[in-house]
Amino acid sequence: MDTDPEFAIRPLIREHTGPVAEIRRTAHGNSSDLTAIVECEKGPFFIKAVRDRPGGPRDSLIREREVDAALVHIAPPLLWDVEEDGWLVLGYEVVDGRSADFAPGSPDLPLVVDTVAQIGRVPLPAFARDWKEARWDRFAASSEEAELFRGDSLLHTDINPDNFLVGGHRAWAVDWAWPTVGAGFIDSALLVVQLIAAGHTPASAEKWATQLPAWHKAAPGAINAFAAANLRMYRAAAARKPDEDWLKAMVEACRAWADHRGVPAE
């Protein structure tokens, strides 16, 4: 099998693309072997491709393929997929959008908040019921606190400016690499941290979150428990990768939020 993804997938996707003029790699999507725009006879298409072997990126892409059916009007639609000759390739509709601006005063913020609200309204698909969210469990102060993160809401869990494309008067939530099922407020809380990282005060960031129904429905103490667990998680990640500046920035954002809420996270 050829190790060059662009060369390897061309014959596999030809049925869906027709002759390919160009495969143009995108700046984001490091978890896949290839993320690109395919300029072609039947396109263009946005594609994600991974080597078809169990574990890691393949499992993530399979989950992304499954969840697409539940995301009508929220994410760009999946138009075709190929699983052949050692590759899994997803082909999406190309949307005319740019990464969202999360900075204070950005006109994108209402569109992003509305999109997060739409995610919160998606009925839980039967195929997703076993996608239990557990990545924060070991960072919770107790098993009782970890139980506060349980729920039956479909979650995106990777809320950040690059995963919201804004075009015209709307936004799309993209890169559903690891959707899970848990407490509905988690996506709202992740938005708060990202807003702080983008320059908002914790109070301003939470004001945006108050527009989200899941925020108001959170169990007492759940948001505090999550703020502390999220800080611990990013501290651990930053300790493992001390040269990653973005992790340092996330630690500072998480610490500012925990301090604002008066939450100890030692």
Side-chain angles (χ1 to χ4, degrees):
M1 181 179 67
D2 196 286
T3 57
D4 180 356
E6 294 180 34
F7 181 85
I9 68 167
R10 281 178 182 256
L12 308 182
I13 65 176
R14 186 180 176 87
E15 175 185 349
H16 302 285
T17 63
V20 172
E22 181 185 13
I23 296 180
R24 188 170 67 255
R25 289 178 181 254
T26 60
H28 305 287
N30 294 331
S31 62
S32 298
D33 292 301
L34 176 67
T35 58
I37 301 294
V38 178
E39 300 288 353
C40 56
E41 180 182 73
K42 300 179 182 180
F45 301 104
F46 171 73
I47 65 164
K48 290 181 133 183
V50 297
R51 289 171 176 83
D52 198 356
R53 52 191 178 221
R58 177 185 182 274
D59 291 350
S60 174
L61 212 62
I62 286 175
R63 191 173 285 203
E64 193 164 353
R65 179 175 64 184
E66 288 182 298
V67 79
D68 179 79
L71 304 177
V72 179
H73 306 307
I74 296 175
L78 177 64
L79 302 177
W80 49 264
D81 66 279
V82 175
E83 194 165 2
E84 186 179 345
D85 287 352
W87 286 91
L88 172 60
V89 187
L90 306 185
Y92 290 90
E93 179 180 304
V94 173
V95 298
D96 185 12
R98 53 168 175 78
S99 294
D101 181 358
F102 277 21
S106 167
D108 297 348
L109 294 175
L111 301 177
V112 170
V113 171
D114 180 65
T115 304
V116 175
Q118 290 182 56
I119 295 170
R121 292 194 293 268
V122 173
L124 181 61
F127 59 76
R129 294 192 182 279
D130 292 334
W131 296 355
K132 177 183 174 183
E133 178 53 69
R135 78 195 74 178
W136 285 276
D137 287 10
R138 68 189 180 97
F139 299 103
S142 65
S143 58
E144 289 77 17
E145 284 199 355
E147 284 300 312
L148 297 174
F149 309 154
R150 306 285 179 261
D152 59 2
S153 293
L154 182 68
L155 303 171
H156 183 286
T157 74
D158 194 10
I159 305 294
N160 70 69
D162 289 331
N163 285 344
F164 288 83
L165 297 181
V166 175
H169 300 291
R170 66 155 300 172
W172 295 266
V174 300
D175 199 4
W176 287 79
W178 208 254
T180 57
V181 177
F185 77 86
I186 289 177
D187 275 348
S188 306
L190 295 175
L191 176 63
V192 167
V193 173
Q194 289 289 332
L195 292 177
I196 295 170
H200 293 253
T201 65
S204 170
E206 286 194 350
K207 188 173 181 180
W208 284 104
T210 61
Q211 300 180 36
L212 297 164
W215 183 266
H216 298 286
K217 295 177 182 177
I223 294 175
N224 284 352
F226 184 82
N230 202 39
L231 174 54
R232 295 185 192 106
M233 184 180 75
Y234 273 109
R235 278 177 176 163
R240 290 193 305 271
K241 299 179 179 180
D243 295 329
E244 296 284 351
D245 289 340
W246 75 272
L247 285 173
K248 296 176 185 176
M250 292 308 300
V251 169
E252 291 307 309
C254 290
R255 179 182 292 117
W257 188 34
D259 289 347
H260 171 72
R261 297 190 68 87
V263 177
E266 299 305 324

